[in-house]
Amino acid sequence: MRGIVTIDGPSASGKSSVAKKVAEALGVPYLSSGLLYRAAAYLARRVGVDPGDEPGILALLETYRVRLLPEARGNRVVAEKASTLEDLTPYLHTPEVDRVVSQVARHPGVRAWVNERLREVPPPFVAEGRDMGTAVFPQAPHKFYLTATPEVRARRRTLERPQDYQEVLKELIRRDELDRAQSAPAPEAIVIDTSGMTLEEVVARVLSHIRD
């Protein structure tokens, strides 16, 4: 596989898990765009920059020189400031980051910054996010969009984190509304409803389309 595979979809639709498995099967890296947005949100919270302050966030990303490392064992996000390298990855999947990442991701400048970081990686690879097939890699020959009901996605999220189901469901529905503009599937994307499917079944479906 020499080209680019994009896997888009709403939060907790299974994008990351599917992208990892598909990339592993194809023998290529996978890129998690969401980790870069989460890094921006995490740094803003840590330093005290308002999530609505786009210039402040962009200055923060420049100061900390945030980078995505698509390693074989999984994606990592590192920040470098004053010759000190810090791995931000362990701090990016928290309820606190969940609550502000959509607001940070709406900034055009932040989106442009994320897209630049992703385009620095030479193909082939599998890229997952919300607009990989529409805005970032429109030339990709293989595009997929994963979806599932909010209830199914909330149950999946509570298996990953010790949170109340109703709280997670409410937050997912809120994020869906916030992310609606950037989360539409590409017209040529293959849409897969994963609500009643196992991870292995979704991966097999994606691989069958790629190999055909």
Side-chain angles (χ1 to χ4, degrees), residues 207-212:
L207 288 173
S208 70
H209 283 290
I210 293 172
R211 288 167 175 162
D212 286 347

Side-chain angles (χ1 to χ4, degrees), residues 36-186:
L36 288 168
Y37 289 112
R38 286 179 172 277
Y42 167 73
L43 287 173
R45 279 185 53 84
R46 190 173 83 174
V47 176
V49 174
D50 190 289
D53 181 2
E54 182 179 12
I57 294 172
L58 292 175
L60 197 59
L61 294 172
E62 181 68 26
T63 299
Y64 279 85
R65 296 183 58 198
V66 176
R67 290 177 288 141
L68 178 71
L69 304 180
E71 299 174 348
R73 63 187 179 186
N75 283 205
R76 290 195 302 133
V77 178
V78 296
E80 184 177 359
K81 182 182 181 184
S83 300
T84 299
L85 195 66
E86 180 184 4
D87 187 353
L88 303 181
T89 317
Y91 314 111
L92 302 184
H93 288 286
T94 66
E96 292 76 22
V97 172
D98 287 350
R99 282 191 282 270
V100 299
V101 66
S102 291
Q103 186 176 356
V104 170
R106 287 203 305 273
H107 297 307
V110 175
R111 301 196 63 75
W113 173 84
V114 168
N115 294 349
E116 287 175 12
R117 301 290 76 74
L118 295 172
R119 290 175 183 140
E120 289 171 352
V121 181
F125 51 74
V126 177
E128 61 95 352
R130 282 179 170 75
D131 58 359
M132 297 299 98
T134 53
V136 188
F137 302 112
Q139 79 280 16
H142 305 289
K143 299 180 182 182
F144 300 88
Y145 186 90
L146 306 185
T147 185
T149 66
E151 291 78 12
V152 168
R153 291 187 285 127
R155 284 197 294 271
R156 291 172 179 171
R157 181 55 57 83
T158 55
L159 293 175
E160 300 171 353
R161 306 175 199 174
Q163 290 179 260
D164 176 72
Y165 167 79
Q166 290 297 336
E167 178 186 344
V168 173
L169 178 61
K170 182 179 178 181
E171 181 64 22
L172 281 178
I173 292 173
R174 187 186 73 86
R175 284 197 63 188
D176 285 352
E177 189 60 36
L178 290 173
D179 296 337
R180 190 176 302 279
Q182 72 193 62
S183 293

